[in-house]
Amino acid sequence: MKKLIVANWKLNPTTLKDAQKLAASIKRTAKNTAVLCPPAVYLSAIKYPNLGAQDCFWQERGAFTGQISPLQLKNLKVKYCIVGHSERRTVGETDGQINFKLRTLLEHKIIPILCVGYGTTVEQDDLEVTDVLRGQLEIDLQGVDAAPVVVAYEPVWAIGTGQNAMPEHAEKIAIFIKNRYNIKKVLYGGSVTNANAAQFLEQRNIDGLLVGGASLVPLYFNQIISI
Ligand code: PEP
């Protein structure tokens, strides 16, 4: 079964030339579905079979300075959009806003990659984690057809820290999300590398990965998408 491997480039690289060079160095593999999510300013100039955005607004058009709409993304042939990343929640994004974004993305047939996990710490047990996730998912998915939504479980303490969650923990959480919310695909994200990716992909209910830092290193990301 093909896995969905999503590269979140965040605010990198700093020139279009470097972004195009990075995209050109990523394999076009049939083994898994690889998605590149460059900064939005590069989306129209990057060539790769599957592109995603890192965020969007919930209105299609109008007086919304600085925003990017799902309709604009659709017109650029963008197929996926990350929503609710912890780095956006940290600067004030709410679950209510995430819910609006999901609705508009689905209207435009863009697959949302909904990130959850904000607020967890390495010490928390599975029950505490599921409590936090319940609080997020119940609002994020309110009135939404959850079936096309991809959920990325990302423990905040694992993002960009070099400390990944245990694959068995991620598997348990993936089962919880699928059983409770009619979600078909769950990804794991948080310090995924070429060295640990296989352990997550071996889990039955982990359908792919959301990769930050390692997606900026072609050698590492090419290995991950070829597993
Ligand atoms: C992320 O960007 O969602 C992420 C998980 O980053 P990293 O792989 O660097 O931890």
Side-chain angles (χ1 to χ4, degrees), residues 83 89 93-103 114-116 131-146 180-181:
V83 187
R89 292 176 185 258
E93 182 155 299
T94 65
D95 288 298
Q97 291 170 337
I98 291 166
N99 177 257
F100 287 155
K101 292 180 182 191
L102 290 183
R103 288 166 186 247
L114 167 62
C115 300
V116 292
D131 261 0
V132 173
L133 298 187
R134 214 177 286 133
Q136 295 176 331
L137 286 164
E138 254 144 54
I139 303 174
D140 298 342
L141 296 171
Q142 211 164 52
V144 166
D145 171 17
R180 198 171 168 108
Y181 297 99

Side-chain angles (χ1 to χ4, degrees), residues 17-184:
K17 204 167 154 210
D18 285 348
Q20 287 172 323
K21 199 170 141 201
L22 180 55
S25 66
I26 305 303
K27 279 193 218 160
R28 275 72 176 151
T29 175
K31 204 153 179 217
N32 293 297
T33 304
V35 180
L36 302 186
C37 301
V41 285
Y42 303 142
L43 274 170
S44 61
I46 297 273
K47 301 231 176 317
Y48 198 74
N50 301 300
L51 287 177
Q54 296 176 16
D55 188 30
C56 69
F57 194 51
W58 56 83
Q59 297 281 354
E60 282 186 351
R61 57 172 72 76
F64 304 104
T65 304
Q67 302 289 3
I68 297 163
S69 83
L71 178 58
Q72 291 170 328
L73 295 176
K74 186 173 116 181
N75 290 337
L76 287 180
K77 312 243 175 322
V78 168
K79 296 183 195 162
Y80 297 84
C81 183
I82 297 170
V83 187
H85 193 280
S86 72
E87 288 155 12
R88 302 238 23 105
R89 292 176 185 258
T90 311
V91 294
E93 182 155 299
T94 65
D95 288 298
Q97 291 170 337
I98 291 166
N99 177 257
F100 287 155
K101 292 180 182 191
L102 290 183
R103 288 166 186 247
T104 319
L105 284 167
L106 290 172
E107 265 172 41
H108 292 293
K109 307 260 180 302
I110 295 175
I111 300 171
I113 299 167
L114 167 62
C115 300
V116 292
Y118 182 66
T120 60
T121 71
V122 73
E123 288 86 18
Q124 283 182 307
D125 63 23
D126 293 352
L127 224 73
E128 283 178 275
V129 173
T130 50
D131 261 0
V132 173
L133 298 187
R134 214 177 286 133
Q136 295 176 331
L137 286 164
E138 254 144 54
I139 303 174
D140 298 342
L141 296 171
Q142 211 164 52
V144 166
D145 171 17
V149 176
V150 175
V151 170
Y153 170 56
E154 299 208 297
V156 168
W157 52 263
I159 299 178
T161 59
Q163 268 190 291
N164 57 279
M166 297 298 290
E168 297 75 20
H169 164 76
E171 169 73 359
K172 262 198 221 162
I173 298 295
I175 293 170
F176 164 78
I177 293 170
K178 287 181 178 180
N179 287 348
R180 198 171 168 108
Y181 297 99
N182 190 33
I183 293 288
K184 309 282 179 240

